[in-house]
Amino acid sequence: MQAKGAAVPATMKAIEIENGRGPADALRLTTRPLPAPGPGEIRIRVRAAGVNRPDIVQREGRYPPPPGASDILGLEVAGEVDAVGDGVARWAVGDRVCALLGGGGYAECAVVDARHALPIPDGLDFTQAAALPETAFTVFANVFEGGGLKAGETLLIHGATSGIGVMAIQMAKAAGARVIATSRGAAKAEAARALGADVSLDATEHDLTAAIQEAGGADVVLDMVGAAYAELNLNALKPGGRWVVIATLTGAKAEIDLMRIMLKRIVLTGSTLRSRPADEKARLAAAVEATVWPWVASGAVRAQVEATFPLAEADAAHAHLEAGAHVGKIVLLP
């Protein structure tokens, strides 16, 4: 189904990776056939698309899309529904939505399982809305479900000014938890503090192990650093703590004293989001809408967009993200 009288083009602009992998300048604007929604799917006219670190890893050839997903980069978008597949009841042409994708976001249109789309909260524009799905879903699934964070507990966040980190600070505070944030540089430490972190530590200046222990330790660690912080996390966690790994920027292999895991009763877990089954993502979308969307509507959780780039400048957006100076999200604007 599509809007009556609307001319539907046969093609769309999209970003592809020259030769299938490469550096940022391997990203090229190209023309692709316009995708059609199948049963249970909607097509979104993309007005904004979030840029995430997994996009870089895929561009480098180290994170292939799951079976059935588009080879086009992009895991989250915001825009208007412009076509609806059979069996879709919730959405109609013209609805403003944001959505979690398995791929396909760096384009003028994207097709997605209708259950993975959420209404754009009142007061948010497309750019802000595109910065929400990947981070909100990831933080909810890992910090609140995997890590079991509760009001009154302490969350330790490494990489606190990344898109995930910025969202995690706000969601933890909205849930009544205390936050210890680590980041690199005085400016980033101050940014984390301004977002609500109770303790914000500059990793280039502080002895993190000592400073975290002085701050009382953590019940949950959200770890995007990996191997280099394994011992630090083991020291930081309180008895019964939960260590949640969602990225391994310094390497995936670390030596861990299992006896200390046992003695402190630590749960070590982790997950990825993209490869989860469609039904599981639908369940997670409903949980995010019920819990996180009211925080967004109230202003307790805000989309933090640090920079925007035209779709044709996806290479510059990737270079900006790789430089590591950003605070919050980077968004492409088709």
Side-chain angles (χ1 to χ4, degrees), residues 42-311:
I42 58 174
R43 185 173 66 213
I44 300 172
R45 173 65 60 179
V46 177
R47 302 301 183 185
V51 177
N52 294 282
R53 194 160 292 278
D55 301 340
I56 292 173
V57 184
Q58 179 176 337
R59 190 203 73 214
E60 293 172 339
R62 298 185 290 117
Y63 191 33
S70 171
D71 66 311
I72 297 171
L73 298 174
L75 302 177
E76 59 184 348
V77 298
E80 303 109 343
V81 176
D82 84 338
V84 177
D86 291 340
V88 175
R90 181 176 187 183
W91 306 113
V93 171
D95 286 346
R96 299 171 74 251
V97 298
C98 57
L100 183 74
L101 311 177
Y106 289 19
E108 291 179 320
C109 286
V111 167
V112 64
D113 187 317
R115 301 172 298 168
H116 304 167
L118 294 177
I120 294 177
D122 291 341
L124 268 65
D125 60 25
F126 290 126
T127 301
Q128 294 167 315
L132 288 176
E134 174 72 11
T135 53
F137 281 56
T138 297
V139 173
F140 187 83
N142 288 282
V143 172
F144 292 92
E145 293 190 338
L149 184 70
K150 303 175 183 64
E153 292 189 324
T154 297
L155 172 66
L156 170 60
I157 305 168
H158 297 308
T161 56
S162 65
I164 295 291
V166 163
M167 182 61 69
I169 292 172
Q170 297 182 86
M171 286 173 59
K173 294 302 295 181
R178 182 169 171 266
V179 171
I180 302 172
T182 75
S183 50
R184 299 187 67 81
K188 287 190 173 186
E190 180 53 39
R193 189 175 295 108
L195 286 164
D198 298 277
V199 177
S200 186
L201 303 172
D202 177 359
T204 67
E205 294 291 335
H206 288 94
D207 176 340
L208 292 183
T209 296
I212 292 166
Q213 289 177 342
E214 183 179 343
D219 298 286
V220 180
V221 173
L222 181 61
D223 182 12
M224 293 173 271
V225 176
Y229 277 10
E231 184 68 17
L232 185 154
N233 292 334
L234 195 51
N235 290 328
L237 281 163
K238 301 176 184 179
R242 288 83 73 194
W243 177 358
V244 185
V245 182
I246 63 168
T248 56
L249 295 177
T250 64
K253 294 183 179 180
E255 187 172 304
I256 300 172
D257 184 341
L258 294 179
M259 183 57 73
R260 294 188 65 198
I261 294 278
M262 295 161 58
L263 292 173
K264 295 182 79 172
R265 307 186 307 283
I266 289 170
V267 174
L268 174 57
T269 186
S271 75
T272 60
L273 182 59
R274 189 182 191 185
S275 61
R276 296 188 184 204
D279 287 350
E280 167 61 13
K281 289 182 182 177
R283 181 204 64 78
L284 186 56
V288 167
E289 184 172 8
T291 301
V292 182
W293 254 223
W295 292 339
V296 176
S298 72
V301 171
R302 306 182 307 280
Q304 301 285 328
V305 177
E306 197 266 349
T308 62
F309 293 83
L311 179 65

Side-chain angles (χ1 to χ4, degrees), residues 5-16:
V8 180
T11 62
M12 65 176 183
K13 297 296 184 183
I15 295 294
E16 66 180 13

